[in-house]
């Protein structure tokens, strides 16, 4: 891919500048273009194919991983577009734990004979490498949502016969660059940390393979899973502060993980940055930071975990992740959560509030167990 026009600047600068005009008289921020049609002869024709807010937002998204970016209406829409690249009956390999929506969709696609699916036990790197060698698509959720193990992206992508796609939502591009590790596509639910304020739905696919990007843009236009101008605008606005938010949340998450490991009501902390983890060496080699997501197994059952999550005053007991506000939830309360996720697992998404306030609230809530 050609270097972007911002490539001389550091990422923090590029994230603030990408998609901005410096033309005299031009607005500092791209205007929200609601028009669905455009006079012919220019860059745009009809807004299901392309439109100006996508251009601005995609330019910032591309800066994240030095790639071309395609914006979708949601992370699930981005996932489904990848599947549409595959001929019927293609062999797909994924972990046996991963984001529940994608896990469920993969199983539905297999049940309908759209794909042939093999699920590999998370943590079994050798089995994944072996399966990748005969797969048309390897789908890696790393760190795994919500159990937080990591897949060896470099080794798996090197062994893969077909496409390797990494769901990079949990780590984020500031902590992990899947394309540099050999993946063909990096995918994000931009609903999460990229948007950062829990007020938009969006998905993104990033790739340096222009043939793939062209095919995926075609799939997007005809499947119609497109972002609204308003969501595209909000996403770009959220991304202006991405680096600050990620730095703060990542530092706080590491501190909270350390304290939780000593908490009398916690039996295990699941976080890629814990040096005693089996896959710590892999995490360290492929992540520049360990992110703002973690999970805990509490000393108690599902009811005890529910008591804790219902007792917090700052941490929202709500689903989703990556917002400025801290959230936690017991994942198995959702019936579609993969069965390998323990009943007493609570997933935490660390926001940007004061670390001592977050800790005090967590401590009092856990003491309700
Ligand atoms: C890791 C991961 N991937 C994909 C998705 C799906 O994204 P969306 O909700 O934007 O469709 C989610 C949503 O929770 C997620 O956590």
């Amino acid at each position: 891919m050609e270097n972007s026009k911002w490539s001389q600047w550091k990422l923090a600068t590029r994230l603030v500048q990408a998609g901005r005009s410096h033309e005299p008289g031009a607005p500092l921020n791209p205007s929200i273009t609601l028009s669905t049609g455009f006079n012919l002869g220019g860059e745009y024709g009809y807004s299901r194919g392309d439109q100006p807010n996508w251009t601005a937002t995609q330019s910032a998204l591309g800066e994240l991983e030095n790639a071309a970016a395609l914006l979708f209406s949601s992370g699930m829409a981005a996932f489904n577009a990848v599947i549409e690249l595959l001929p019927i009956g293609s062999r797909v390999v994924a972990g046996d734990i991963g984001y529940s929506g994608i896990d469920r969709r993969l199983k539905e696609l297999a049940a309908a004979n759209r794909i042939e699916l093999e699920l590999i036990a998370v943590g079994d790197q050798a089995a994944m490498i072996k399966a990748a060698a005969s797969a048309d698509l390897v789908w890696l959720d790393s760190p795994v949502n919500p159990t937080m193990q990591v897949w060896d992206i470099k080794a798996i992508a090197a062994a893969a016969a077909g496409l390797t796609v990494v769901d990079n939502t949990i780590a984020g591009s500031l902590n992990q660059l899947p394309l540099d590790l050999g993946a063909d596509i990096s995918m994000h639910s931009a609903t999460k940390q990229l948007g950062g304020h829990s007020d938009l739905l969006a998905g993104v696919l990033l790739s340096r393979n222009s043939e793939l990007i062209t095919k995926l843009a075609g799939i997007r236009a005809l499947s119609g899973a497109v972002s609204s101008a308003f969501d595209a605008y909000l996403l770009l606005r959220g991304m202006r502060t991405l680096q600050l938010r990620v730095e703060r949340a990542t530092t706080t998450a590491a501190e909270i993980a350390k304290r939780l490991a000593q908490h009398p009501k916690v039996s295990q902390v699941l976080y890629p940055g814990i040096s005693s983890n089996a896959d710590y060496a892999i995490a360290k080699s492929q992540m520049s930071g360990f992110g703002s997501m973690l999970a805990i197994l509490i000393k108690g059952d599902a009811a005890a975990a529910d008591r804790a999550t219902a007792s917090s005053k700052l941490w929202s007991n709500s689903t989703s992740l990556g917002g400025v506000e801290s959230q936690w939830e017991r994942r198995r309360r959702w019936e579609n959560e993969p069965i390998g996720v323990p009943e007493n697992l609570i997933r935490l998404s660390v926001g940007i509030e004061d670390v001592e306030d977050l800790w005090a609230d967590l401590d009092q809530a856990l003491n309700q167990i």
Side-chain angles (χ1 to χ4, degrees):
M1 214 197 87
E2 272 177 49
N3 281 339
S4 80
K5 69 173 184 164
W6 305 103
S7 59
Q8 71 185 105
W9 311 106
K10 303 275 192 301
L11 184 61
T13 307
R14 285 168 12 226
L15 286 175
V16 173
Q17 291 292 334
R20 267 191 211 291
S21 172
H22 283 256
E23 289 297 310
L28 286 185
N29 297 300
S31 304
I32 299 177
T33 303
L34 296 176
S35 188
T36 50
F38 299 83
N39 293 320
L40 296 182
E43 194 180 342
Y44 306 105
Y46 182 55
S47 67
R48 178 156 43 72
D50 201 2
Q51 68 90 265
N53 293 100
W54 300 1
T55 306
T57 304
Q58 287 173 166
S59 74
L61 288 164
E63 295 296 337
L64 286 171
E65 301 193 22
N66 187 25
L70 290 173
L71 183 62
F72 289 80
S73 54
S74 65
M76 287 310 298
F79 162 81
N80 283 303
V82 171
I83 294 294
E84 286 306 308
L85 289 169
L86 304 174
I88 288 173
S90 295
R91 206 171 116 68
V92 177
V93 174
D96 68 346
I97 300 179
Y99 168 59
S100 57
I102 289 176
D103 178 75
R104 182 171 162 206
R105 185 82 187 120
L106 284 170
K107 287 171 181 161
E108 278 177 7
L109 290 163
N113 295 323
R114 172 70 181 81
I115 59 168
E116 192 191 300
L117 179 64
E118 187 180 356
L119 296 177
I120 307 292
V122 289
D124 193 344
Q125 311 285 350
M128 182 60 94
I129 288 168
K130 186 158 174 260
S134 59
D136 298 299
L137 170 68
V138 181
W139 186 273
L140 296 178
D141 194 5
S142 185
V144 175
N145 181 4
T147 46
M148 303 303 292
Q149 298 95 332
V150 298
W151 288 110
D152 187 341
I153 298 171
K154 200 171 188 175
I156 296 163
L163 294 176
T164 303
V165 184
V166 175
D167 184 335
N168 206 22
T169 305
I170 297 292
S173 312
L174 295 167
N175 290 318
Q176 177 169 278
L177 293 167
L179 305 179
D180 286 0
L181 297 165
D184 301 285
I185 299 174
S186 172
M187 172 264 173
H188 293 256
S189 165
T191 311
K192 314 297 191 243
Q193 197 162 44
L194 292 174
H197 297 77
S198 308
D199 57 5
L200 65 92
L201 272 176
V204 60
L205 296 177
L206 296 154
S207 181
R208 295 174 189 157
N209 179 328
S210 53
E211 210 179 305
L212 278 179
I213 287 288
T214 304
K215 279 190 196 163
L216 288 163
I219 291 167
R220 179 180 65 177
L222 294 185
S223 68
V226 297
S227 182
S228 75
F230 189 62
D231 277 355
Y233 177 92
L234 271 183
L235 175 55
L236 181 59
R237 180 183 159 122
M239 287 175 65
R240 300 304 192 197
T241 56
L242 182 69
Q243 181 134 356
L244 287 174
R245 290 187 285 105
V246 170
E247 280 170 8
R248 165 76 165 230
T250 301
T251 307
T252 304
E255 179 60 28
I256 284 183
K258 203 167 77 186
R259 295 188 192 186
L260 283 169
Q262 308 298 325
H263 199 282
K265 299 292 171 72
V266 173
S267 64
Q268 201 180 342
V269 178
L270 310 172
Y271 184 61
I274 290 181
S275 58
S276 54
N277 279 355
D279 47 16
Y280 178 70
I282 300 170
K284 203 156 179 275
S285 74
Q286 68 186 21
M287 300 178 80
S288 53
F290 298 113
S292 53
M293 295 295 299
L294 61 140
I296 51 175
L297 302 182
I298 57 133
K299 288 182 186 160
D301 58 7
D306 286 340
R307 251 191 333 271
T309 51
S311 306
S312 54
K313 297 184 173 61
L314 294 178
W315 293 77
S316 318
N317 181 17
S318 58
T319 199
S320 202
L321 56 107
V324 289
E325 71 290 352
S326 296
Q327 292 174 275
W328 66 339
E329 64 169 335
R330 187 174 73 81
R331 284 300 291 176
R332 280 295 295 283
R333 74 197 178 95
W334 301 104
E335 71 173 298
N336 290 317
E337 192 66 6
I339 194 108
V341 176
E343 284 282 1
N344 63 343
L345 179 146
I346 303 176
R347 187 184 72 184
L348 294 86
S349 168
V350 178
I352 62 168
E353 302 94 331
D354 181 87
V355 62
E356 297 304 335
D357 288 345
L358 287 177
W359 176 250
D361 188 41
L362 210 48
D363 182 42
Q364 70 77 23
L366 286 169
N367 286 328
Q368 309 301 315
I369 288 174

